[in-house]
């Protein structure tokens, strides 16, 4: 796996740009429809979804989407419209060329000029007899970009070249026929011929290159402009970080990128910030005021490392990450009769939590789910098959949850931004062709209480060719298995093998995103050739640690939480204020819905009552402990609780909305907690402490820190605006409620910073 990654990153030499206006094809080489004509159609977006590639075509002319089916496109051009689209005897009079050159009105406008190489290729193809795809012709195997990685200064220009390599050893320059795009706006631009123009802003970018059905990227590093004083400050900062960190491979990868980018990392955050951050991130729980004070006062040199170890042993760790995995594994309750389905979701949720609590190796965890058989009343992992039950469910859930891949597009056509084809999609589906179900009873959307077993036979056919497909992994040959073997076992072995290029990467990337708000590959479940990691060395270092540990999840969390980037402050400095990708500072994020509700319950010291359907969950149950999403709490839905219809973390919404602001103002849960007769507010009203003492207690309890002098003065003024002795109990209760309410609505309370 490491060798494969390294190969793709090595600089390549000897690829020459032959012509900036098009590489001419040798006169003694016949024109190939697949290898010569189809790339031209793709270059000018003729077969794109917005033009002739869409399902209904355009003005009666339809091509295969993104050039995925050369035979279909050839038939459309040559045989349809009574052959009027192409004239072998007089190519210049063919509709194909007359419309492309705008001699005849064309909705897509002028795409070619008569003196271009592309016009010549299309003309020659017609004169040579309109030859179509045929067996035995060379097959495109890979493309290579030169250089594959660039460090460019602001305002620089750089030409990249693209070479195509074929099955018969033939190689040619295809720079002029490749398609180019940029994944980050504002940093660089790229021309249709592959000329990169850098703007005046530093950062990371990637140029996506597509040719035929293949795609790749050229990764760009644009250093931020630095004065000599700023460069000296950067050197000093990196030196301090080296002295304060263990300089693991993870730290080295981070610091090397900051150095290349000339980006100034933030300062180390203070202890109060760190304990609040890591407590929420590992346990989904705020630290108490006494825990914060004790940690800040602790003089132990490696107290942060020891804190991480303690948090990982708390039961809240398993509950919080159990909630995360229940989302990903679609442990869904809605759509069923709650009284009938809840035992199943509870069984599965408890199994997930217990697996995390015992630190079950991740490869075993995944294998038990994929290969589960037996009763959904007795074997918890089989409950996964209750929501995941169709061919698209199997393929897309497995690919997204465990491999970090979105291959939905390949169900209908070749993936436009990656290498996956329909054969790959349905070959993966074939691993589940023998999943059988029996028993259970109809309960709304799907049966409940089924028994999962292995059928004697099962068939998956390619939707175009109707060929029976053997069970296979992604990107590798089909499994050699007998009729007595469960294909899912072979899939699980392939998936969890240390050399698998996706499995470990997907998990470490997902966990990194949990702690840093974005993944090294982002979105976390959208790994593809055209969405490269922002720091490949960092991803490699984390994956190597994870594999070497035996897929130990707690070890992975320790590595992440003890790295230098996780220790950094969230406050931007002049040198990293534009950084959103390199983790040179901690990126603040709002607490997830369940964590936020639990934080409000904890600080106001009033537990939330959760309806159980029927009855209620035991008083004291936390939101992070709920087994499924079918618990009617409007607060959780407003703040982005997912519906669990997809194995995608994108279902959980953390973007701010107007309804969230209104919920903070009008929430029934918050109102009840503020008015509870035995809650935090009532304790403040009746504890006989001064306004100053209670103000300090409020800040420590809600924000985990002492108030500033200005904050203290404002709070005391608000609490004692009529003098403590003159206030009635109701008035005193109201002013305390207002103070706490105001702090609950601050970013400092609601955000992990």
């Amino acid at each position: 796996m490491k060798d494969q990654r390294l190969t793709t990153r090595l600089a390549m030499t000897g690829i020459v740009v032959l012509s900036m206006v098009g590489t001419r094809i040798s006169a003694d080489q016949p024109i190939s429809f697949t290898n010569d004509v189809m790339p031209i159609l793709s270059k000018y977006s003729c077969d794109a979804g917005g033009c002739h590639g869409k399902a209904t075509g355009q003005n009666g002319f339809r091509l295969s989407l993104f050039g995925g089916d050369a035979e279909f496109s050839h038939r459309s051009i040559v045989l349809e419209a009574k052959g009027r689209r192409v004239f072998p005897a007089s190519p210049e009079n063919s509709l194909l060329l007359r419309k492309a050159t705008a001699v005849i009105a064309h909705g897509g406008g002028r795409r070619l000029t008569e003196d271009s190489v592309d016009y010549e290729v299309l003309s020659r193809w017609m004169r040579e007899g309109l030859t179509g795809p045929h067996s035995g012709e060379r097959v495109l195997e890979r493309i290579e970009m030169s250089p594959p990685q660039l460090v460019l200064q602001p305002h620089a220009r750089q030409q990249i070249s693209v070479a195509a390599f074929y099955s018969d050893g033939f190689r040619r320059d295809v720079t002029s026929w490749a398609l180019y795009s940029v994944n980050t706006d504002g940093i660089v631009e790229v021309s249709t011929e592959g000329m990169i123009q850098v703007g005046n802003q530093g950062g990371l970018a990637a140029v996506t290159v597509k040719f035929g059905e293949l795609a790749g990227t050229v990764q760009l590093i644009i250093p931020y402009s630095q004065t000599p004083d700023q460069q000296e400050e950067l050197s000093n900062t990196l030196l301090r970080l080296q002295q304060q960190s263990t300089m693991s491979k993870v730290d080295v990868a981070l610091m090397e990128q900051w150095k290349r980018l000339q980006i100034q990392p933030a300062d180390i955050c203070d202890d109060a910030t760190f304990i609040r951050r890591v407590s929420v991130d590992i346990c989904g729980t705020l630290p108490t005021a006494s825990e914060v004070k004790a940690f800040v006062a602790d003089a132990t040199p490696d107290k942060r490392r020891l804190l991480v170890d303690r948090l990982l042993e708390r039961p809240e760790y398993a509950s919080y990450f159990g909630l995360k995995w229940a989302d990903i594994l679609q442990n869904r309750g809605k759509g069923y009769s709650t009284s009938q389905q809840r035992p199943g979701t509870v069984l599965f949720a408890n199994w997930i939590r217990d697996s995390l609590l015992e630190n079950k190796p991740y490869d075993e965890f995944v294998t038990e789910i994929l290969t589960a058989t037996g009763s959904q009343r007795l074997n918890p992992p089989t409950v996964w098959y209750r929501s995941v039950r169709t061919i698209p469910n199997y393929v897309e859930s497995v690919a997204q949850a465990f491999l970090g891949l979105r291959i939905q597009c390949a169900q209908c056509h070749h993936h436009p931004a990656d290498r996956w084809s329909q054969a790959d999609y349905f070959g993966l589906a074939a691993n589940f062709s023998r999943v059988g179900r029996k028993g259970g009873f109809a309960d709304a959307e799907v049966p409940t209480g089924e028994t999962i077993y292995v059928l004697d036979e099962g068939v998956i056919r390619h939707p175009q060719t109707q060929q029976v497909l053997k069970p296979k992994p992604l990107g590798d040959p089909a499994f050699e298995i007998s009729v007595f073997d469960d294909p899912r076992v072979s899939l699980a072995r392939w998936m969890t093998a240390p050399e698998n290029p996706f499995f470990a990467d997907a998990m470490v990337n997902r966990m990194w995103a949990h702690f840093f708000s974005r993944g090294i590959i982002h979105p976390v479940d959208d790994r593809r050739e055209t969405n490269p990691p922002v720091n490949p060395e960092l991803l490699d270092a984390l994956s190597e640690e994870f594999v070497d540990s035996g897929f130990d999840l707690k070890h992975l969390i320790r590595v992440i939480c003890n790295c230098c980037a996780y220790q950094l402050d969230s406050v931007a400095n002049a040198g990293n204020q534009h950084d959103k990708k390199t983790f040179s500072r901690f990126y603040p994020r709002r607490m997830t819905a369940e964590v936020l509700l639990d934080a409000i319950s904890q600080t106001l010291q009033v537990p939330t009552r959760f309806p159980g359907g029927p009855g209620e969950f035991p008083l004291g149950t936390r939101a992070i402990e709920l087994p499924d999403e079918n618990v009617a709490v409007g607060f959780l839905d407003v703040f982005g609780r997912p519906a669990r219809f997809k194995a995608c973390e994108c279902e959980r919404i953390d973007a701010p909305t107007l309804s969230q602001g209104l919920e903070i103002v009008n929430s029934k849960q918050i109102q009840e907690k503020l008015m509870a007769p035995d809650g935090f507010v009532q304790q403040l009203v009746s504890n006989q402490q001064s306004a100053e003492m209670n103000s300090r207690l409020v800040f420590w309890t809600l924000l985990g820190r002492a108030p500033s002098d200005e904050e203290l003065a404002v709070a005391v003024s608000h609490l004692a605006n009529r003098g403590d002795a003159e206030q009635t109990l109701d008035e005193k209760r109201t002013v305390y409620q207002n103070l706490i309410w105001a702090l609950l609505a601050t970013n400092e309370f609601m955000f992990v910073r």
Side-chain angles (χ1 to χ4, degrees):
M1 181 171 61
K2 290 173 61 180
D3 292 341
Q4 181 184 21
R5 291 196 189 99
L6 182 61
T7 300
T8 62
R9 293 170 192 153
L10 290 176
M12 295 168 286
T13 59
I15 301 175
V16 181
V17 180
L18 301 181
S19 169
M20 293 309 301
V21 296
T23 305
R24 297 187 179 273
I25 298 175
S26 173
D28 59 0
Q29 284 283 340
I31 300 297
S32 163
F33 182 82
T34 302
N35 294 320
D36 300 325
V37 174
M38 291 290 287
I40 293 175
L41 300 177
S42 295
K43 174 183 177 180
Y44 295 107
S45 302
C46 304
D47 55 13
C51 197
H52 298 289
K54 65 182 179 182
T56 57
Q58 189 85 332
N59 294 329
F61 179 27
R62 181 186 171 198
L63 297 170
S64 65
L65 185 63
F66 305 121
D69 187 341
E71 290 187 2
F72 179 91
S73 293
H74 183 264
R75 287 196 303 271
S76 296
I77 295 172
V78 175
L79 300 180
E80 291 183 0
K82 299 180 180 179
R84 294 172 57 247
R85 293 184 178 131
V86 286
F87 296 157
S90 181
E92 64 274 12
N93 290 315
S94 66
L95 282 179
L96 188 68
L97 290 179
R98 285 170 67 82
K99 286 207 167 192
T101 54
V103 173
I104 295 177
H106 179 220
R110 182 188 293 272
R111 312 304 287 172
L112 294 175
T113 59
E114 288 85 344
D115 61 350
S116 67
V117 172
D118 296 336
Y119 186 96
E120 177 192 340
V121 170
L122 295 177
S123 298
R124 274 189 55 193
W125 170 67
M126 294 183 208
R127 288 195 300 270
E128 291 175 0
L130 305 172
T131 304
H134 57 88
S135 60
E137 66 180 331
R138 60 172 61 112
V139 177
L140 176 65
E141 291 189 333
R142 74 181 194 277
I143 59 172
E144 292 182 353
M145 285 65 68
S146 180
Q149 187 178 76
L150 287 166
V151 178
L152 297 174
Q153 298 301 316
H155 306 294
R157 286 167 59 85
Q158 173 71 44
Q159 174 67 43
I160 57 176
S161 61
V162 185
F165 294 80
Y166 295 84
S167 55
D168 60 356
F170 179 68
R171 186 191 87 167
R172 69 170 174 173
D173 182 275
V174 294
T175 304
S176 296
W177 288 316
L179 293 172
Y180 304 93
S181 60
V182 178
N183 72 342
T184 303
D185 294 332
I187 296 180
V188 301
E189 295 178 351
V190 62
S191 74
T192 57
E193 300 295 339
M195 176 64 75
I196 298 170
Q197 174 65 61
V198 183
N200 59 3
Q201 180 181 331
L204 296 172
V207 173
T208 296
V209 181
K210 294 176 63 179
F211 177 74
E213 295 184 347
L214 302 182
T217 56
V218 175
Q219 295 183 281
L220 308 176
I221 297 174
I222 317 300
Y224 288 87
S225 298
Q226 295 275 12
T227 65
D229 288 344
Q230 289 172 327
Q231 290 178 346
E232 183 178 358
E233 183 181 0
L234 172 61
S235 297
N236 292 335
T237 299
L238 292 177
L239 181 60
R240 287 197 305 272
L241 284 177
Q242 290 173 12
Q243 294 170 344
Q244 294 172 321
S245 71
T246 60
M247 288 305 291
S248 66
K249 291 182 179 179
V250 171
D251 290 333
V252 170
L254 287 161
M255 292 187 199
E256 284 297 319
Q257 187 172 72
W258 297 334
K259 187 176 180 180
R260 287 195 300 268
L261 273 169
Q262 290 292 288
I263 191 168
Q264 177 75 29
D267 294 329
I268 297 292
C269 68
D270 60 50
D271 287 337
T273 298
F274 182 80
I275 186 175
R276 184 182 176 91
R277 176 189 299 173
V278 75
S279 297
V280 171
D281 281 352
I282 292 180
C283 291
T285 305
L286 289 176
T288 64
S290 59
E291 287 172 336
V292 176
K293 291 176 181 178
F295 184 73
V296 171
D298 188 355
T300 306
D302 58 347
K303 64 182 181 181
R304 295 192 178 191
R305 179 185 63 79
L306 296 174
L307 172 63
V308 171
D309 290 344
R310 291 196 299 272
L311 291 172
L312 286 170
E313 296 308 314
R314 287 174 54 169
E316 292 95 331
Y317 153 72
S319 295
Y320 184 34
F321 279 89
L323 171 69
K324 183 182 185 75
W325 274 103
D327 289 346
I328 297 168
L329 297 174
Q330 301 165 258
N331 192 26
R332 190 169 72 248
K334 285 185 180 178
Y336 309 87
S337 169
T338 303
S339 62
Q340 300 295 335
Q341 65 82 28
R342 174 130 304 143
T345 59
V346 169
L347 186 70
F348 195 22
N350 288 346
W351 177 82
I352 295 170
R353 183 202 61 210
D354 291 346
S355 296
L356 293 165
L357 201 60
E358 71 180 62
N359 201 29
K360 180 181 294 181
Y362 179 62
D363 56 337
E364 293 181 18
F365 175 79
V366 173
T367 297
E368 289 179 31
I369 294 170
L370 289 181
T371 62
T373 56
S375 169
Q376 291 174 348
R377 293 189 178 92
L378 300 175
N379 186 17
T382 59
V383 178
W384 182 70
Y385 286 89
R386 186 167 68 184
S387 296
V388 181
R389 56 190 308 111
T390 67
I391 292 302
N393 288 159
Y394 292 139
V395 175
E396 293 161 21
S397 296
V398 167
Q400 283 191 260
F402 305 129
L403 302 175
L405 301 170
R406 297 182 184 181
I407 64 172
Q408 292 90 324
C409 296
Q411 181 181 6
C412 301
H413 54 77
H414 192 285
H415 197 296
D418 212 336
R419 54 177 163 148
W420 310 121
S421 65
Q422 282 185 298
D424 291 313
Y425 185 99
F426 289 97
L428 181 60
N431 291 286
F432 298 91
S433 62
R434 290 169 56 197
V435 172
R437 303 167 185 272
K438 61 184 177 182
F441 55 92
D443 184 18
E445 285 184 354
V446 298
T448 298
E450 295 174 309
T451 295
I452 304 300
Y453 69 103
V454 181
L455 294 165
D456 292 336
E457 60 181 18
V459 173
I460 295 291
R461 295 182 182 274
H462 192 291
Q464 298 294 330
T465 66
Q466 294 304 305
Q467 176 188 3
V468 175
L469 298 175
K470 293 182 178 180
K472 68 183 292 293
L474 285 173
D476 283 336
F479 296 122
E480 295 295 334
I481 55 177
S482 73
V483 295
F484 304 105
D485 296 320
D486 183 351
R488 299 175 303 162
V489 174
S490 296
L491 177 65
R493 287 187 187 134
W494 168 82
M495 188 180 295
T496 60
E499 63 272 14
N500 185 292
F502 308 113
F503 185 69
D505 280 11
M507 186 56 188
V508 302
N509 187 54
R510 188 183 296 279
M511 294 298 285
W512 185 270
H514 172 86
F515 288 95
F516 285 92
S517 304
R518 65 160 291 133
I520 305 167
I521 299 171
H522 196 76
V524 294
D525 52 10
D526 192 18
R527 175 177 182 158
R528 48 188 157 82
E529 297 292 336
T530 53
N531 186 30
V534 295
N535 190 329
E537 294 78 16
L538 173 60
L539 185 64
D540 288 352
L542 286 165
S543 294
E544 184 179 347
E545 279 278 356
F546 190 42
V547 172
D548 290 347
S549 72
F551 298 102
D552 185 326
L553 289 172
K554 288 187 176 181
H555 176 78
L556 175 60
I557 292 174
R558 289 188 184 97
V559 170
I560 293 173
C561 291
N562 287 303
C563 78
C564 61
Y566 192 71
Q567 317 288 319
L568 299 179
D569 202 279
S570 62
V571 178
N573 57 43
N576 67 15
Q577 59 184 331
H578 299 296
D579 171 45
K580 297 179 181 179
K581 292 184 177 180
T582 74
F583 315 104
S584 63
R585 57 189 171 91
F586 188 83
Y587 307 136
R589 65 180 181 280
R590 201 203 70 224
M591 295 182 202
T592 58
E594 295 87 350
V595 174
L596 181 57
L597 181 56
D598 283 346
I600 294 171
S601 300
Q602 175 185 333
T603 54
L604 299 188
Q605 299 176 26
V606 181
T608 301
R609 293 182 179 274
F610 295 107
E616 290 186 346
F617 285 92
L619 190 62
T621 300
R622 300 183 57 192
I624 63 171
E625 297 170 340
L626 297 175
D628 58 62
E629 87 303 346
N630 194 17
V631 181
V633 181
F635 183 97
L636 297 179
D637 293 328
V638 169
F639 280 89
R641 175 174 60 176
R644 296 184 176 177
F645 281 105
K646 301 177 182 178
C648 180
E649 295 199 48
C650 58
E651 268 202 313
R652 181 175 287 278
I653 306 299
D654 57 4
T657 63
L658 177 60
S659 59
Q660 292 170 4
L662 294 174
E663 185 72 14
I664 290 294
V665 174
N666 300 312
S667 169
K668 176 183 177 182
Q669 281 80 18
I670 296 178
Q671 293 283 354
E672 290 177 346
K673 297 177 194 303
L674 287 170
M675 299 173 65
D678 55 351
F680 184 47
V681 171
Q682 185 60 37
Q683 295 173 29
L684 293 169
V685 170
S686 58
N687 66 6
Q688 304 301 314
Q689 296 291 331
S690 67
E692 179 179 338
M693 291 292 291
N694 276 343
S695 295
R696 293 183 184 277
L697 178 58
V698 167
F699 271 81
W700 274 108
T701 301
L702 269 70
L703 303 183
R705 63 169 177 83
S708 67
D709 292 342
E710 182 180 1
E711 289 169 334
L712 183 61
V714 171
V716 170
S717 174
H718 172 72
L719 294 177
N721 60 354
R722 292 180 53 193
D724 289 349
E726 299 179 16
Q727 288 180 326
T728 66
L729 285 178
D730 285 343
E731 291 172 334
K732 194 173 183 180
R733 186 179 297 109
T734 298
V735 294
Y736 274 109
Q737 288 171 345
N738 290 339
L739 173 62
I740 292 173
W741 203 351
L743 291 178
L744 289 176
T746 62
N747 284 348
E748 187 173 356
F749 178 80
M750 293 194 293
F751 276 62
V752 183
R753 304 172 67 85

